[in-house]
Amino acid sequence: MKNRVARIGMFVALAFVLSYIEAMIPFHVGIQGVKLGLANVVVMVALYCLGEKEAFGISMVRILLTGLTFGSVASMIYSFGGGLLSFGVMVLAKKTKKLSITQVSVLGGIFHNVGQIIVAMIVLETKAFLYYLPVLLISGVVAGVVIGILGSIISGRIRKLAT
């Protein structure tokens, strides 16, 4: 039990550090709101190496810490909306056992952006954000592929160390 708590703490810390690094490095592709989401590598690895409950906790604590440190209440609301939808879809996709980590990650990237658009439409009471969805879907696929490949490599190495 003690090792499990320490592992979860390390995952949260790593996700927070990656969020910090991403916040400090200007990454502009000319499209507002598009990010790689490096901390999601930690969530993917946790999902495949620690379990659903642990990965969910890591994801939610990371969103809270990142929002309190680098964002605002509004950014946390959007992040929680995207994070919750994304995580639910990834868990369901993983349970099918038909998709690779990268494919699950792509679904996570896509649905994170969908969740944020839904929250924006609810909070701001407008459907105008739907025009932005195609751009965010493309960025979700690209980010999901990158995060999925990294998550697959890291998860594989962790599993080898565990045996």
Side-chain angles (χ1 to χ4, degrees):
M1 180 68 169
K2 207 185 311 181
N3 287 338
R4 192 158 189 78
V5 171
R7 264 190 237 127
I8 292 168
M10 286 184 358
F11 273 71
V12 168
L14 182 57
F16 183 69
V17 167
L18 289 173
S19 293
Y20 175 73
I21 290 169
E22 191 165 34
M24 300 313 298
I25 297 172
F27 175 75
H28 300 288
V29 293
I31 303 166
Q32 183 69 24
V34 173
K35 294 188 333 180
L36 183 56
L38 287 174
N40 293 321
V41 171
V42 177
V43 175
M44 289 302 300
V45 171
L47 182 60
Y48 280 86
C49 292
L50 298 180
E52 295 168 12
K53 290 179 192 172
E54 293 81 357
F56 180 76
I58 290 164
S59 180
M60 296 300 111
V61 169
R62 194 254 330 149
I63 291 170
L64 178 67
L65 291 175
T66 303
L68 291 172
T69 307
F70 311 115
S72 63
V73 173
S75 68
M76 281 193 292
I77 291 169
Y78 293 115
S79 292
F80 276 122
L84 289 168
L85 183 58
S86 170
F87 192 81
V89 168
M90 289 191 303
V91 167
L92 291 174
K94 179 181 178 266
K95 285 184 177 186
T96 68
K97 299 184 182 196
K98 295 179 181 181
L99 300 175
S100 69
I101 293 176
T102 302
Q103 291 167 320
V104 170
S105 177
V106 167
L107 288 172
I110 289 169
F111 279 93
H112 183 85
N113 291 337
V114 169
Q116 288 187 322
I117 290 290
I118 291 169
V119 170
M121 290 184 340
I122 291 168
V123 169
L124 300 172
E125 298 178 350
T126 180
K127 293 181 183 178
F129 290 100
L130 285 175
Y131 80 91
Y132 200 43
L133 192 56
V135 172
L136 291 179
L137 293 178
I138 293 167
S139 73
V141 169
V142 172
V145 167
V146 172
I147 298 304
I149 290 169
L150 291 172
S152 181
I153 292 167
I154 294 166
S155 295
R157 290 185 181 176
I158 288 174
R159 284 192 205 114
K160 280 183 185 176
L161 289 173
T163 57

